[in-house]
Amino acid sequence: MNKPVDRITLRRPDDWHVHLRDGPMLQVVAGYTARQFARAIVMPNLTPPVTTAVAAAAYAARIRAALPPDSDFQPLMTCYLTDTLEADEVERGWQQGAWVAAKLYPAHATTNSAHGVTNLDAIAPVLERMQRIGMVLAVHGEVTDPAVDVFDREAVFIERSLIPLTERYPELKIVFEHITTAEAADFVLSRPHHLGATVTAHHLAINRNAMFQGGIRPHHYCLPVAKRERHRLALVKAATSGDARFFLGTDSAPHLARDKESACGCAGLFTAASAIELYAEIFDAAGAIDKFEAFASLNGPAFYGLPVNAGTVTLERSPSAVPARIDALDNYVVPFRAGESLSWRMA
Ligand code: NCD
Ligand code: ZN
């Protein structure tokens, strides 16, 4: 047997899907992402959502202002698609560098998605334009039909929306965000190009049992919801394969503890405090630490058509502590694996 690797150096990684929020929560969480990642694709589901180039530029400036002046962290902004957004505005924001991608939330699929798209036909001109200019479409891949079981919403989305989308716009670059099922991993692998997927650390780490371990566990509830163990195993296989279509996206989504520990708790896990260590544990356990750089630092930039980062980070097999709680506003955020020790840390 090979000696286990205890230290790896990789190109600085990026997070291709994160929620940084705004206002006081942004002040709390921005530093965690910037400590680990050179860039991040920042989700636009604020209230109100980010739908104009002006709003995206202002939000990017607020993110930079929340970080120390010597931070070189680069927020990569996204535009929130609505039924009424104009193709010209989407293209203008992209040409100006206000955003690098547009986010498709099916209306009411998840947190702050009430303004999302009700029908793909409504955004046909926008999708045509994005296909023409080579702009990435990031998709929350779940149907919202209440008749569909919550655990089936991703797989049904492939049939009802993603297949028609890829057929209608064969050259459109699509990221199937935070995939949670074997069906999603297989569908991505069935397409030769233009379809990629982000995989979160928590969907690689837990299955749906974690939500019900000895009682209801709101801090393991997110959307898309965690699935059965066989799906988790399929995600681990895909992410650790080195295949260029899979890349790192934490979907770290902070909510106050009181909003999660409630009769109608919010969806979202906060992983940004230890994201790179969480992923390193998974790749290590899968015997695939040699594939980690592709997943964390190379595949995402290649898909988005951006350069890889200059500089490197080193991870070592050495304990790192996840905070038990992180003070926020007049309450706190409970991070994923709060208070536990992880077996890797960033040197
Ligand atoms: C996200 C949030 O809280 O903004 N929640 C989540 O469970 N992932 C929204 C999302 O990405 O679905
Ligand atoms: Zn998200």
Side-chain angles (χ1 to χ4, degrees):
M1 225 181 102
N2 293 337
K3 194 174 163 294
V5 177
D6 291 328
R7 203 178 157 84
I8 57 160
T9 295
L10 40 140
R11 287 280 190 154
R12 280 178 80 194
D14 303 301
D15 184 348
W16 297 95
H17 181 132
V18 72
H19 299 267
L20 294 180
R21 311 303 193 205
D22 209 347
M25 186 64 99
L26 170 64
Q27 304 301 318
V28 172
V29 302
Y32 289 105
T33 292
R35 178 180 78 83
Q36 301 210 319
F37 299 105
R39 298 172 290 196
I41 291 274
V42 181
M43 288 297 122
N45 63 332
L46 305 180
T47 29
V50 178
T51 55
T52 66
V54 169
Y59 183 29
R62 293 198 295 281
I63 294 167
R64 288 207 176 84
L67 294 168
D70 62 345
S71 170
D72 64 354
F73 176 75
Q74 204 189 343
L76 302 173
M77 310 310 290
T78 54
C79 155
Y80 182 116
L81 293 182
T82 66
D83 286 353
T84 55
L85 202 64
E86 299 283 344
D88 285 344
E89 176 69 7
V90 174
E91 177 169 1
R92 192 173 329 119
W94 189 74
Q95 301 289 5
Q96 290 169 356
W99 46 51
V100 303
K103 175 73 189 234
L104 170 61
Y105 286 104
H108 306 291
T110 186
T111 308
N112 292 343
S113 61
H115 302 274
V117 173
T118 58
N119 172 352
L120 287 177
D121 294 334
I123 57 165
V126 170
L127 298 177
E128 273 155 28
R129 186 75 63 92
M130 289 173 63
Q131 170 170 256
R132 179 143 55 79
I133 65 180
M135 181 174 163
V136 169
L137 177 72
V139 178
H140 182 108
E142 288 191 289
V143 294
T144 54
D145 180 348
V148 177
D149 188 280
V150 69
F151 292 97
D152 297 333
R153 286 182 188 175
E154 182 175 283
V156 173
F157 182 85
I158 298 171
E159 303 298 324
R160 287 196 195 165
S161 300
L162 203 50
I163 291 175
L165 201 57
T166 55
E167 280 169 1
R168 240 177 275 167
Y169 309 99
E171 300 299 314
L172 179 61
K173 289 207 249 179
I174 301 173
V175 180
F176 194 173
E177 301 276 59
H178 41 54
I179 59 167
T180 62
T181 57
E183 287 87 341
D186 288 346
F187 183 68
V188 171
L189 286 169
S190 76
R191 299 279 144 160
H193 56 214
H194 300 324
L195 181 64
T198 53
V199 191
T200 76
H202 50 282
H203 288 114
L204 293 169
I206 60 170
N207 63 36
R208 65 191 196 175
N209 287 347
M211 282 183 297
F212 308 104
Q213 212 173 4
I216 188 94
R217 299 282 184 168
H219 296 294
H220 286 157
Y221 173 60
C222 63
L223 288 171
V225 72
K227 307 297 192 299
R228 288 177 184 275
E229 179 65 0
R230 76 174 178 88
H231 295 290
R232 187 189 73 82
L233 293 173
L235 299 176
V236 171
K237 188 170 168 215
T240 62
S241 67
D243 190 290
R245 287 166 285 195
F246 300 100
F247 37 93
L248 189 160
T250 62
D251 194 20
S252 181
H255 291 279
L256 293 177
R258 66 161 172 259
D259 294 332
K260 289 190 67 69
E261 297 167 5
S262 116
C264 186
C266 294
L269 264 64
F270 181 69
T271 51
S274 316
I276 210 74
E277 292 87 354
L278 290 164
Y279 281 111
E281 271 198 1
I282 291 175
F283 276 70
D284 183 35
I289 202 81
D290 59 316
K291 302 291 197 311
F292 191 38
E293 184 179 38
F295 179 77
S297 316
L298 308 179
N299 297 348
F303 189 90
Y304 274 83
L306 294 168
V308 297
N309 294 310
T312 59
V313 296
T314 295
L315 305 174
E316 56 193 24
R317 188 189 305 279
S318 169
S320 64
V322 182
R325 55 167 70 180
I326 293 168
D327 291 332
L329 290 81
D330 59 339
N331 195 226
Y332 56 92
V333 172
V334 178
F336 180 57
R337 297 192 56 187
E340 290 183 36
S341 176
L342 305 179
S343 50
W344 285 78
R345 69 182 195 111
M346 215 163 101

